[in-house]
Structures are given as structure tokens and as C-alpha cells.
Amino acid sequence: MAALKYEDLRDFLAHLESTGELRRIAQPVSPRLEMTALADRVLRKAGPALLFERPVDGEREYAMPVLANLFGTPHRVAVALGAGSVQELRQSGELLAWLKEPEAPRGLRDAWNKWPILRQAMNMAPRSVNSHPPCQEIVLEGSAVDLSRLPVQTCWPGDAGPLLTWG
């Protein structure tokens, strides 16, 4: 399988949808326990990512959808990172582990053998992107910030409240 590159999250989601790796859920679903229960069941079966299009909590319908299980399988992680396969992803992981604790070459031959790894690492440099990304089309500041507008999940019975970092 050839590696793919994505312009943004929308592009990646379109790819997942075209390959059956994303399911849109148009019915109202509550972020209080329901989303997590559904996402957990699907995740345990290595199922697709889920896009809850109509989060509803009681009478309140949120304007923002909720995406769950985006990186729920090793295959989707590999696809997201532009790897052609899970094995290629493992090789990238090995490269990152090596970069974390590199070993100095033990001679000219060893340096020559490590050259492909170093060349691959140099291709991982960050790149500049558009200075007006779509994720910043709407910016709220000061008193306009209202976290209650977010469909934050309460994940498990007995939780003290919604857990903002769950997603």
C-alpha cells in the first residue's frame, strides 16, 4: 500500500470514510455516557472511527460534532502518519527510538551504514504551513470563551464530571 499525505484533518476523514474506516452517526447521541459506551464497543472490535454529528445533552444540541476512535487501530495510526503499513510505522518508531538515544558510529563503515537512518531523520524536519489555517477561522477570546459550548464527554458511571481530555 502506498503512503498517503493529507492536507488536514478533513482530508484524512474523507479518506477514512472512502475506505470504510469512518462511520457518521447522524442520530442524536449524548456525550453523557452514551458516546463513550458506543465508542468503547466499536473500539474493542477494532471498528471504524465514529463521527457523532449531533451531540445532544437533554434539550441542548451542540453545534460541534465529536470524533471518537480516530487512532483506534494500529492501521489507522499508520495511515494517519502517512505510513504505507503498520510495519512501516514500526520502522518509524524504531527510528524515533534510535534518535532518542543515538549511538556514535564506531568507525567509517558503521557511519556509512547509519547514513540512511540519518538521511531519513533529516526528512522529518517540521514544515511551515498556511498562516491562516481552517482551525483558526473562529477564534474566541476573553469573555467569549465558554467551555460549556463543547460537547465534553462524561465517560463512565461515577465520574466526578465531564472529562475534557478524554477526546
Side-chain angles (χ1 to χ4, degrees), residues 3-4 7 10 14 20 26 28-29 39 43 50 56 72 75 85-86 92 108 110-112 122-123 130 132 137 159:
L4 298 172
E7 289 295 315
R10 292 177 184 123
V29 179
L43 182 63
L50 303 173
V56 175
H75 171 74
S85 66
V86 173
S92 295
L108 189 55
D110 191 33
W112 181 257
M122 288 186 285
N123 289 333
N130 175 340
H132 301 290
E137 289 173 355
D159 277 356

Side-chain angles (χ1 to χ4, degrees), residues 121-138:
M122 288 186 285
N123 289 333
M124 296 172 71
R127 63 182 174 98
S128 295
V129 295
N130 175 340
S131 61
H132 301 290
C135 65
Q136 293 180 5
E137 289 173 355
I138 300 171

Side-chain angles (χ1 to χ4, degrees), residues 18-73:
S18 73
T19 60
E21 289 281 332
L22 173 72
R23 294 286 190 280
R24 292 178 180 270
I25 300 173
Q27 297 83 4
V29 179
S30 174
R32 256 182 230 271
L33 306 178
E34 289 181 344
M35 284 183 186
T36 304
L38 291 169
D40 186 54
R41 286 181 189 152
V42 171
L43 182 63
R44 288 177 191 274
K45 294 180 180 182
L50 303 173
L51 183 59
F52 297 99
E53 296 178 326
R54 293 185 56 205
V56 175
D57 190 10
E59 296 294 315
R60 180 179 191 156
E61 187 163 344
Y62 295 91
M64 181 182 298
V66 174
L67 180 59
N69 298 352
L70 182 61
F71 302 115
T73 64

